[in-house]
Amino acid sequence: MITETTTQGMYEKLSAMLSTTVPDFELRIKAELAVEINRIKAEKNAVILGHNYMEPALFYSIPDYVGDSLELSRKAAQSNKDIIVFCGVKFMAETAKILNPTKKVLVPSEKAGCSLAASITAGDVRELKAKFPGVPVVTYINTYADVKAESDICCTSGNAVEVVKSFNTDKVIFIPDEYLAGNVARETGKHIIYPTRDPKHHFPNDLDYQMIGWPGRCEVHEKFTVEDITNVRKQFPDVVILAHPECSPEVVEASDFSGSTTAMIKFVEKSNAPHYLMLTECSMGDNVAAAHPEKEMLRLCSIRCPHMNQITLEDTLEALKKEQFEIHIDEDIRRRAYIAVERMLHIG
Ligand code: SF4
């Protein structure tokens, strides 16, 4: 009997889904790697979490769970396995460790960073809090543990509006994604300002604002433009365009739907449009297209996240074999970050 535990079985499964996206010789190599990873995973009592932005052959072969960073963090929190391998970027693996500190959490590549997470430091947050005393800090989950530790609550792209609305205060600090903050401000009818690190920069005293943002951006989503949308609509007038809220407010406004990666997937699953275009990381488009061959997915995709791209089957195999690269977080930082993440999980 051929099953996914054999190279031939895995190859057949991947080939059935991905033969139009991944060359055949690559599928054969990847099937072999995936079978070996799954064997060691069972041997070491490990669980593999795969983010929606993982490349298709990895996405459909080794994760026990796939999803966005929030869904995977919940899975990490509930896991009773000895090792959690997070096929995603470092801040995601850190969130798993924050929620389940007794487990060994591994990220397959040390190079898997994030432009958003790198845009702000814990010191920056302390300075913002000093500049705007008493104003609560809402921090996007795409940040490192020490930044989360300085925050009142975390949020994801899926619950950011709800989290901001949960505060009964005149003002809210929302960091670090300039565009997500802009989209939340638009949706909640708040006026937003963006402080800089320049100590000489001051806002006029009579300025009316309710949100304080930060100039961090996702290097993938900032690349989509309104012109891209206009051009696609000219060619495909009946296309439904879905934009991730890390895209600029102008792009989100010109789109038909905006939501987290999971919300976008659900939208495609539940609707019936002649064409779809997802303005997000391109592997996700490939993964959705593979799962729904009956849907017509357009690609605008030269935009692969260089950080997510670091996570390969080869590196995952090495990470499992050598139990590298383990996430370590100072316990005081972890405990404070846990409070911010836990508060968000209570909201939803
Ligand atoms: S897609 Fe953007 S937010 Fe996600 S890891 Fe890459 S740079 Fe960071």
Side-chain angles (χ1 to χ4, degrees), residues 53 89 114-116 142 218-220 246 305 307-308:
Y53 292 167
V89 294
C114 169
S115 64
L116 261 180
N142 296 25
C218 163
E219 67 191 278
V220 173
E246 287 166 17
C305 170
H307 310 286
M308 292 285 182

Side-chain angles (χ1 to χ4, degrees), residues 49-71:
L49 309 177
H51 189 265
N52 288 329
Y53 292 167
M54 288 297 100
E55 57 99 359
L58 186 156
F59 188 81
Y60 285 113
S61 61
I62 57 167
D64 299 283
Y65 301 100
V66 292
D68 61 24
S69 58
L70 176 65
E71 289 168 323

Side-chain angles (χ1 to χ4, degrees), residues 28-200:
R28 289 184 187 277
I29 297 169
K30 292 189 178 201
E32 198 173 333
L33 285 165
V35 168
E36 178 65 353
I37 290 168
N38 287 340
R39 188 188 63 74
I40 302 178
K41 179 174 72 174
E43 195 179 281
K44 295 202 171 193
N45 193 31
V47 63
I48 296 184
L49 309 177
H51 189 265
N52 288 329
Y53 292 167
M54 288 297 100
E55 57 99 359
L58 186 156
F59 188 81
Y60 285 113
S61 61
I62 57 167
D64 299 283
Y65 301 100
V66 292
D68 61 24
S69 58
L70 176 65
E71 289 168 323
L72 295 180
S73 298
R74 287 186 195 275
K75 293 294 177 201
Q78 293 155 6
S79 179
N80 57 8
K81 299 284 184 180
D82 297 324
I83 298 176
I84 298 171
V85 182
F86 210 122
C87 289
V89 294
K90 189 180 163 205
F91 76 79
M92 296 176 180
E94 276 195 354
T95 309
K97 184 72 180 177
I98 289 167
L99 289 167
N100 206 340
T102 60
K103 305 296 176 191
K104 184 178 265 192
V105 178
L106 308 175
V107 63
S109 168
E110 281 185 306
K111 292 186 202 143
C114 169
S115 64
L116 261 180
S119 73
I120 193 160
T121 66
D124 292 329
V125 189
R126 286 192 288 271
E127 274 180 31
L128 277 174
K129 291 199 284 191
K131 240 186 223 170
F132 302 95
V135 178
V137 180
V138 176
T139 295
Y140 191 28
I141 197 97
N142 296 25
T143 45
Y144 292 120
D146 55 346
V147 168
K148 289 186 174 83
E150 297 295 334
S151 316
D152 293 283
I153 189 167
C154 287
C155 74
T156 65
S157 55
N159 61 22
V161 168
E162 218 177 322
V163 168
V164 166
K165 281 183 178 167
S166 74
F167 284 96
N168 231 347
T169 51
D170 295 346
K171 295 180 177 31
V172 173
I173 296 172
F174 189 105
I175 52 174
D177 187 345
E178 175 185 338
Y179 285 161
L180 177 62
N183 285 313
V184 172
R186 196 171 61 94
E187 217 172 302
T188 54
K190 295 183 192 297
H191 184 231
I192 187 164
I193 58 166
Y194 294 95
T196 68
R197 286 194 181 95
D198 179 1
K200 291 191 203 117

